[in-house]
Amino acid sequence: MISKARIKMIHALEARKHRLREGLFVAEGPRLVNEMLRSARPAYLAATARWLSANAGLLPPGCPADEVSEDELRQASLLRAPQQVLALLPLPRYRLEATLPQTSLCLALDGVQDPGNMGTIVRVADWFGIGDVICSHDTADVFGPKAVQATMGALARVRVHYTDLPHYICQSGAPVWGTMLDGQDIYSQPLGSHGLIVMGNEGNGLSPRVRELVGHRLLIPSFPPGRPTTDSLNVAIATSIVCAEFRRRQQ
């Protein structure tokens, strides 16, 4: 059975200020929680008998856990349709080295606002073997419930950092690519195996400060050229296309 105080605390974690205060975030559903349990020890877990019987081996010894009914899980859940298990996990703390993009390919996000896009981009990074996503302070919090769900467990492998992005780009001394409507066709431009790929805000693109620091401006062309079409791609879709092309060149 899950206590009323615990339910209240779980719901409080929907807000960023409470996540920071408690040092915890919420993950829900078998696929997501099972992925996270392979790399993080939960502070608490609530699950149905069905999940516990199938996944007992994933729980570390001494992990605080409650067996709950589906109705109890529904009361605690931040989702419209709870899915067998809910875990409270510690917010990770990573050290961000300025030299990181000099030896590896990293994503940088400049003001991405939608939590669904944020989580999907982390999932894209995981798929293409990009281990670090470096975000401006005004980018959506990846540890919010909607973003966490959209990562589908990629947070177990991808490190997400928040920093003063223009300052970090200047410090890194690495090549910087960014997508812009006035950029050059990505399929005809030289691409590298290390550096920063910067993706901008859904409505406004890259901020003026970051735009000035982009050394290689890229465009994902529509097809066929000159045909009337939508004015831009969703940022998560654009990130997928760009990452796929970078990795294709390395094969």
Side-chain angles (χ1 to χ4, degrees):
M1 181 176 180
I2 185 169
S3 69
K4 290 183 179 179
R6 182 82 73 178
I7 291 173
K8 183 178 179 180
M9 191 265 276
I10 291 169
H11 281 272
L13 294 176
E14 198 164 9
R16 184 173 183 269
K17 65 178 181 180
H18 292 296
R19 292 194 294 272
L20 292 175
R21 185 183 69 190
E22 300 292 340
L24 298 170
F25 70 98
V26 182
E28 298 192 57
R31 183 173 177 181
L32 173 57
V33 172
N34 290 13
E35 285 279 359
M36 297 305 300
L37 289 179
R38 293 184 174 93
S39 63
R41 179 186 175 88
Y44 172 75
L45 185 140
T48 62
R50 175 185 171 191
W51 185 91
L52 288 169
S53 64
N55 299 281
L58 287 177
L59 285 178
C63 171
D66 285 325
E67 180 179 323
V68 296
S69 67
E70 290 187 2
D71 185 59
E72 287 175 312
L73 191 61
R74 191 174 298 110
Q75 293 177 49
S77 175
L78 303 181
L79 302 178
R80 291 183 180 179
Q83 303 172 26
Q84 299 183 48
V85 60
L86 176 154
L88 302 185
L89 296 160
L91 289 174
R93 297 180 181 274
Y94 304 119
R95 182 175 178 178
L96 178 58
E97 300 287 351
T99 57
L100 181 65
Q102 293 181 13
T103 56
S104 62
L105 191 62
C106 304
L107 274 175
L109 304 183
D110 182 25
V112 171
Q113 293 294 294
D114 182 79
N117 284 337
M118 180 69 205
T120 301
I121 289 170
V122 172
R123 188 177 177 185
V124 167
D126 186 31
W127 182 262
F128 288 107
I130 296 174
D132 292 271
V133 178
I134 302 157
C135 306
S136 62
H137 287 303
D138 60 346
T139 293
D141 183 3
V142 75
F143 298 105
K146 185 175 179 180
V148 170
Q149 293 304 124
T151 69
M152 295 302 290
L155 280 173
R157 291 169 294 276
V158 177
R159 296 170 292 276
V160 180
H161 314 267
Y162 289 84
T163 189
D164 180 331
L165 188 58
H167 179 69
Y168 181 80
I169 292 172
C170 290
Q171 276 193 319
S172 74
V176 182
W177 290 269
T179 53
M180 304 181 193
L181 292 177
D182 62 352
Q184 300 297 310
D185 187 332
I186 186 173
Y187 301 111
S188 65
Q189 297 302 300
L191 305 176
S193 60
H194 66 275
L196 286 163
I197 302 170
V198 190
M199 307 301 294
N201 173 270
E202 290 89 343
N204 301 315
L206 298 177
S207 63
R209 288 181 66 202
V210 169
R211 178 184 285 264
E212 292 174 358
L213 300 172
V214 173
H216 308 277
R217 299 187 173 202
L218 302 176
L219 170 71
I220 301 171
S222 60
F223 185 85
R227 182 180 66 86
T229 184
T230 54
D231 61 356
S232 65
L233 288 171
N234 168 276
V235 65
I237 292 173
T239 303
S240 299
I241 294 170
V242 171
C243 290
E245 182 61 14
F246 268 81
R247 290 312 197 199
R248 186 185 71 83
R249 301 284 186 93
Q250 295 173 35
Q251 292 180 349

